Amino acid sequence: MGRRKVMVIGLDCAEPSLAFDKYAGVMPNLRRLMKKGCWGLLRSTIPPITVPAWTTMVSGADPGELGIYGFRDRTGYGSYELDFATARTVRVPRLWDVLGDAGLRSTVLFVPQTYPPPAELRGSMVTCFLTPGADSDYARPVELKQTLESSFGPYIVDVPDFRTDDKPRLLESIYAMSRQHFAMARFLLDKDDWDFFMMVEMGCDRFHHGFWRHIAADHPRHVPGNRFADAGREYYAYLDRELGTLAEFADADTTVLVVSDPGARTMKGGICLNEWLLRHGYLALEELPDRPTPLHRLKIDWSRTKAWGEGGYYGRVFLNVRGREPQGIIPPEQLDTECEALKAMLEAIPDEHGRPIGTVAHRPRDLYPVARGTPPDLIVLFGNLDWRSIGSVGTGAIHAVGNDTGPDDANHSWDGILVASGAQVSAIGRIDGAEVRDIARTVLGLFELAPPETMGGTGILSGVRRVREQGA
Amino acid sequence: MSGYVIWLTGDRVRMDALAEALRAGLTGTAPSIDVLTAEMVEDRLCAHEPRNADFRDVVVRRLAWLCQVLARNGGAAIAVAASPRRAVRDEARRGSDRFLEVLVHGTMPDGYEPPLEPALEVRASDAAYSVVDEVRRTLAARGLVARPPRVYTPEEEARVRERVEKLGYA
Ligand SMILES: [Zn+2]
């Protein structure tokens, strides 16, 4: 056996029912990898969202261990402010840190939470979509930025103008971004002397949020035969072609992993979390807005506020506790009771017709062995992810259905995809029970390196997991 | 120019690498940054001391004194000592308002008495750069060093925030 290498191709939000089933016919390269190795669902983190899920993927630490519960987290109980979770927020070693210490070289492209880039890195890096712009310091080594720019033009950090009604242009922008990223990947796969290669392409996620209603028959606003009805098949076929060109860089001693996190599903609508808290006496404002307004633009009357929330693909609720928050009012000894009561009420919010939607609200202490940083008091999955959380106030209603939710056609769902293939992977077909947090340990296992103590999960390919024999 | 003392206590084995990372990462925050270990003090300042039950405490006290002298004169000192006894560390801390007690979790010496209120807790497995970052932030919060540069300028933060909101993440 020659030099062991590992290639991880991440497709943010690639949906298993599409990649493995509905569009399987247009994904010959993915099927080839599946046939040669193993494949299955890859369970996401709670919450199932890009930040922190990809950091869990590359560190093996769950969100509680990371102290990262979303894109923006509270900076401490002593303040009501939230701050971005960036590369600096990550306290645990990630794959390229561990591999670098072992003398191995990594090429790390577009992996969420890599901005700002480290001062030094054994290998190369292009930072993620949380990079401010093409003018930022986004590459390591530093001179790589110039090299990439001269070949591929300014770095397309993300899809510009995502919230647009001009769908043809949006689709073009998604393709333009993906094409550039895959071209950069090929360039570095060829040029770099890498042991570990990893890229995460966000295009698939942007495609789902922007076009799900057009491709998913179960979407309430799906129109059969609409002009984008085949756009999903075409985009997945395109991704597969890119996958094929990357896989050509894998020699006999390279293990290829194709992973996604999370998956995608139809979004039925949004629950206006803060509007609900306001109407139920948990949240008080100095002045009520007459149009939908983000909470951070409004003046909260903390002396009468027991709880406030954050919007997103899931909701977060924070309680205003005396002695914990700067102007807390809930007596600390009542925190538990208040939290349980609110949890029950949130879980009981029905849809706009009064039908139950099956919301689940979690307390972080029930989800993670430790909850570091400043965790929310409740993580709320409205309709178990059928509904999103809307943070704005002044919406005039608790439910936002129809066009109120903007272009967000899809919400995240629990499972992404996992495909593994290579000399170190036997052709065992379908495997069950893999989780996002298993990937880091799995990769280190392929290099026969010991994981650091913060790296949880299980090596998927080490045979520890229950493996079901089944032809792919 | 105000100096400072970073006192690492707990898992001795992990401290050398950590102290080295801190020394490198805090470069420029003080005119001099010295890493001083209990072993150095043993060799150079306690060679003729009787090795009785109090010996460890004597070493820790002398190490603390040395660090404080450096800090008083504007330098920075990083103390590396398992320093298992809480009372002796408390004494050391009381001697200076520029003293950061950092608990390094891991394999603790027998009879280790953890600080009741460490300025910072570091698990042995934490990535070194993040520890450096956190120590720097803590020193900055106490006005002992300049604040580390923010990840985003206000203009960049607004840009990223708008994008993230439009994408539906917030
Ligand atoms: Zn998404």
Side-chain angles (χ1 to χ4, degrees):
Chain A
M1 175 141 195
R3 177 180 175 187
R4 284 183 192 189
K5 295 167 133 197
V6 177
M7 184 191 284
V8 178
I9 300 163
L11 305 170
D12 192 80
C13 213
E15 164 55 28
S17 64
L18 301 184
F20 290 157
D21 188 13
K22 192 175 173 189
Y23 300 149
V26 296
M27 304 192 77
N29 291 304
L30 189 70
R31 288 199 72 75
R32 197 168 307 128
L33 294 172
M34 288 162 69
K35 230 183 176 93
K36 283 199 315 203
C38 62
W39 59 279
L41 303 180
L42 188 61
R43 190 71 167 182
S44 187
T45 48
I46 304 179
I49 188 156
T50 305
V51 172
W54 285 100
T55 297
T56 294
M57 179 110 67
V58 293
S59 71
D62 69 21
E65 172 78 36
L66 293 168
I68 300 171
Y69 306 94
F71 276 76
R72 299 177 79 242
D73 287 293
R74 288 180 68 186
T75 52
Y77 285 116
S79 154
Y80 294 112
E81 295 294 303
L82 280 79
D83 203 4
F84 271 100
T86 65
R88 293 249 185 95
T89 321
V90 181
R91 287 169 52 100
V92 300
R94 290 185 273 188
L95 276 171
W96 47 91
D97 299 317
V98 183
L99 294 169
D101 285 347
L104 299 174
R105 302 184 65 82
S106 299
T107 295
V108 180
L109 305 180
F110 330 120
V111 179
Q113 281 192 280
T114 46
Y115 184 84
E120 280 172 52
L121 174 82
R122 196 185 292 270
S124 47
M125 176 180 278
V126 175
T127 61
C128 66
F129 69 100
L130 293 169
T131 304
D135 48 348
S136 305
D137 173 32
Y138 63 73
R140 289 292 176 271
V142 175
E143 58 276 16
L144 177 61
K145 177 176 169 176
Q146 188 52 49
T147 311
L148 291 177
E149 238 171 64
S150 60
S151 300
F152 307 103
Y155 174 31
I156 305 174
V157 169
D158 208 320
V159 176
D161 297 323
F162 183 72
R163 204 156 281 245
T164 172
D165 290 329
D166 189 348
K167 293 283 177 180
R169 222 190 71 195
L170 177 61
L171 192 56
E172 252 173 57
S173 305
I174 292 170
Y175 273 102
M177 173 177 78
S178 296
R179 280 194 196 107
Q180 186 197 52
H181 293 178
F182 282 110
M184 287 178 173
R186 277 190 295 276
F187 175 78
L188 289 172
L189 277 167
D190 182 46
K191 177 183 139 330
D192 277 358
D193 175 30
W194 54 276
D195 299 286
F196 175 63
F197 169 90
M198 177 168 184
M199 74 173 289
V200 176
E201 173 52 25
M202 299 304 295
C204 196
D205 178 80
R206 307 308 184 238
F207 176 80
H208 288 157
H209 290 300
F211 291 91
W212 196 260
R213 83 180 63 175
H214 301 282
I215 65 165
D218 73 335
H219 196 282
R221 292 188 298 289
H222 177 73
V223 180
N226 72 82
R227 66 180 288 201
F228 296 110
D230 278 331
R233 186 178 305 278
E234 284 157 15
Y235 186 74
Y236 272 74
Y238 157 75
L239 284 179
D240 189 74
R241 288 195 296 275
E242 296 283 19
L243 192 63
T245 65
L246 299 193
E248 283 174 21
F249 289 90
D251 61 21
D253 298 319
T254 306
T255 303
V256 179
L257 299 181
V258 183
V259 289
S260 75
D261 182 87
R265 70 205 290 168
T266 285
M267 183 158 78
K268 295 188 177 154
I271 302 289
C272 301
L273 176 58
N274 284 318
E275 187 78 26
W276 185 92
L277 291 169
L278 193 72
R279 292 184 187 191
H280 289 77
Y282 279 94
L283 173 66
L285 296 174
E286 290 182 7
E287 207 175 322
L288 289 177
D290 54 5
R291 73 195 64 195
T293 311
L295 190 63
H296 66 85
R297 300 233 176 86
L298 299 166
K299 272 213 148 52
I300 296 174
D301 178 356
W302 292 111
S303 70
R304 295 188 295 128
T305 289
K306 278 162 59 170
W308 77 101
E310 280 287 316
Y313 292 111
Y314 63 102
R316 284 181 291 173
V317 174
F318 303 93
L319 298 189
N320 195 25
V321 181
R322 201 173 66 212
R324 191 183 79 170
E325 270 70 23
Q327 301 171 63
I329 62 166
I330 295 175
E333 64 278 11
Q334 285 173 28
L335 170 60
D336 248 6
T337 349
E338 285 283 2
C339 204
E340 288 301 322
L342 185 52
K343 172 174 148 65
M345 285 174 76
L346 289 167
E347 287 178 341
I349 298 177
D351 72 3
E352 73 276 28
H353 306 295
R355 294 172 301 208
I357 60 171
T359 294
V360 189
H362 293 285
R363 299 185 70 175
R365 64 169 194 201
D366 300 331
L367 293 176
Y368 321 114
V370 285
R372 309 184 81 195
T374 316
D377 292 292
L378 289 170
I379 291 174
V380 191
L381 308 160
F382 285 116
N384 192 27
L385 298 173
D386 281 344
W387 296 68
R388 64 169 289 139
S389 168
I390 294 174
S392 292
V393 178
T395 50
I398 300 301
H399 301 92
V401 284
N403 289 323
D404 296 352
T405 48
D408 305 319
D409 289 0
N411 204 346
H412 297 160
S413 88
W414 288 113
D415 294 311
I417 66 168
L418 165 68
V419 176
S421 164
Q424 296 186 74
V425 184
S426 15
I428 49 178
R430 178 161 182 150
I431 57 170
D432 284 327
E435 293 175 22
V436 153
R437 66 181 315 213
D438 297 333
I439 297 299
R441 207 174 256 261
T442 300
V443 170
L444 287 192
L446 291 167
F447 288 110
E448 294 185 353
L449 289 173
E453 79 182 65
T454 49
M455 198 171 273
T458 312
I460 297 164
L461 305 177
S462 61
V464 176
R465 287 205 168 261
R466 188 169 55 88
V467 170
R468 184 150 55 97
E469 292 284 344
Q470 187 182 307
Chain B
M1 180 56 96
S2 57
Y4 55 86
V5 180
I6 298 168
W7 189 281
L8 305 180
T9 172
D11 182 355
R12 173 68 187 86
V13 178
R14 313 301 284 263
M15 284 182 196
D16 291 310
L18 194 56
E20 206 32 64
L22 284 166
R23 201 179 59 78
L26 294 168
T27 303
T29 62
S32 66
I33 303 179
D34 287 285
V35 175
L36 299 167
T37 68
E39 293 76 14
M40 288 175 183
V41 171
E42 257 183 66
D43 285 356
R44 288 159 213 184
L45 298 175
C46 302
H48 305 295
E49 214 58 47
R51 308 261 159 163
N52 57 24
D54 292 335
F55 180 70
R56 298 270 140 219
D57 293 350
V58 170
V59 170
V60 168
R61 285 196 182 99
R62 288 184 187 176
L63 175 60
W65 176 80
L66 197 56
C67 290
Q68 282 155 13
V69 171
L70 286 169
R72 221 170 26 233
N73 289 288
I78 300 168
V80 171
S83 46
R85 290 199 48 212
R86 184 185 300 137
V88 182
R89 291 194 313 266
D90 285 353
E91 240 174 71
R93 195 181 57 240
R94 274 195 295 275
S96 170
D97 53 354
R98 300 158 174 186
F99 188 102
L100 214 69
E101 191 176 6
V102 178
L103 173 58
V104 180
H105 287 284
T107 315
M108 300 311 205
D110 286 341
Y112 183 76
E113 301 165 359
L116 298 178
E117 280 182 275
L120 247 162
E121 290 186 53
V122 172
R123 275 146 344 127
S125 58
D126 282 350
Y129 61 84
S130 77
V131 175
V132 173
D133 234 47
E134 189 136 349
V135 166
R136 201 189 167 119
R137 273 200 300 271
T138 310
L139 289 168
R142 297 194 180 180
L144 296 170
V145 305
R147 294 207 161 271
R150 289 184 57 84
V151 170
Y152 298 128
T153 64
E155 184 270 331
E156 287 174 341
E157 175 150 0
R159 236 158 114 191
V160 175
R161 187 162 178 180
E162 191 196 339
R163 204 158 64 212
V164 163
E165 279 170 9
K166 281 189 174 167
L167 287 166
Y169 287 124

